[in-house]
Amino acid sequence: MMVDMDEARRHEPRWLSDDEQRVWRAFREAVGMLNAHTETQLQHDAGMPQAYYEVLVELSESPDQVMRMSDLAVATRSSRSRLSHAVARMEAKGWVRREACPTDKRGAFAHLTPAGFEAIKAAAPGHVEAVRTAVFDQLTAEQVRMLGEISDAIRGGLRPRCPEVERRLAAEDGDTADGDGDGDDTGRAA
Amino acid sequence: MMVDMDEARRHEPRWLSDDEQRVWRAFREAVGMLNAHTETQLQHDAGMPQAYYEVLVELSESPDQVMRMSDLAVATRSSRSRLSHAVARMEAKGWVRREACPTDKRGAFAHLTPAGFEAIKAAAPGHVEAVRTAVFDQLTAEQVRMLGEISDAIRGGLRPRCPEVERRLAAEDGDTADGDGDGDDTGRAA
DNA sequence: CAGTTATAGTTGAGCGCTCAACAAGATGGC
DNA sequence: GCCATCTTGTTGAGCGCTCAACTATAACTG
């Protein structure tokens, strides 16, 4: 038992093989460089970080260039907090306008403004060019196809877990055993 | 077409095809989720961001757990500024110790301390497990191999260009006035 | 040798993100 | 209706990063 406890607690690390190491480091490096590349390009040429670009893209593709904050957060895979800060800044820049939701008084809409539309229209060509030269010009058609499959596989393995979900799961786990009857603790405090 | 006049002048963007769009978005999402996953895991379980983890890894694999700041910056693909800030914080945590270089009085060494070694030793299993489950458990051997090749291809396409190199190149371009055509329109404006 | 330029590292301001806390409206059980 | 709970969105503190100076030393050049 004692031995098991020790083993079990550490859950025995399954180290990466040499090949896996190499792939992982190459991947990290590629992603890091690519990210720095596109981030710098956008910041320099369009005065916006990539995160804001993605918000503008999402808005611009939405039916009336309007989205609920929550939906926008999901679409951009960002926390509500992050989005709120981001939209506040973009509103200050005149790219987005916020509006209260009449039916749900907690809610808020984010509208893409004409200036916002111009901003993304101006930013898009440079960004797309950066992505194309850095990624698609470097890969064969087969590699592109595989990259899509690999991305899907990784995506699928990671439940869309936001920090809040993590915390709730952790709370349930730590809450001794069952916790089956969903968070009975007055949990918001955690 | 009239519409294209404007575009032609600015070398007309080569937009992404639908397939490329899908792959690019899937890739961005996978990378985003994966990054959030490992970042959160490390921060939670080891109290350090991924960037610091990589610094510690680099140091721990170095001959005497010592590296020059500059080399460490290159190894971790970070700017000297970033590394300086990071090492300052890690020094405050007791994980790293800085020491002046006797032969080059500008230089500084970063030593991994015993506490730093313990920190990474404690962090490694959880991190590796997170990487394994999120990446290698999701992919076939063939996909892993391809991911390596794809990463190498992307890495190869991006010259190791840090911001400083960028600026220097830009300065040289403007300086020598030989400017190869397409530089003129990519407005640094906004 | 002096004068210029390049290199190593640090610093401070500003920005974007995370996290925890919060306010306020919506929801469901009784 | 009333109360606890959930949901929506915002806020402020703290952290890590970028960028643009800045210091100090080293390496060239005439």
Side-chain angles (χ1 to χ4, degrees), chain B residues 131-143:
Chain B
V131 169
R132 173 170 291 292
T133 59
V135 178
F136 296 101
D137 284 353
Q138 308 300 324
L139 303 178
T140 67
E142 175 66 3
Q143 285 175 323

Side-chain angles (χ1 to χ4, degrees), chain A residues 26 33 58 61 71 87 92-93 114 129 139 145 167 179:
Chain A
M33 291 173 75
E58 217 59 48
E61 290 176 350
D71 298 338
V87 166
K93 287 198 162 209
E129 183 64 20
L139 303 179
R145 203 179 56 74
R167 260 200 308 287

Side-chain angles (χ1 to χ4, degrees), chain A residues 137-149:
Chain A
D137 284 353
Q138 308 299 324
L139 303 179
T140 67
E142 176 66 4
Q143 285 175 323
V144 169
R145 203 179 56 74
M146 286 296 282
L147 181 58
E149 285 180 16

Side-chain angles (χ1 to χ4, degrees), chain A residues 112-135:
Chain A
L112 183 65
T113 65
F117 186 73
E118 290 308 313
I120 191 177
K121 212 171 83 178
H127 178 63
V128 170
E129 183 64 20
V131 169
R132 174 170 290 292
T133 59
V135 178

Side-chain angles (χ1 to χ4, degrees), chain A residues 51-52 79 81-82 85 89 103-106 163 167 189:
Chain A
Y52 291 12
S79 66
S81 169
R82 173 181 175 178
H85 284 297
R89 281 208 169 273
T103 74
D104 184 342
K105 288 194 175 175
R106 299 166 301 180
R167 260 200 308 287

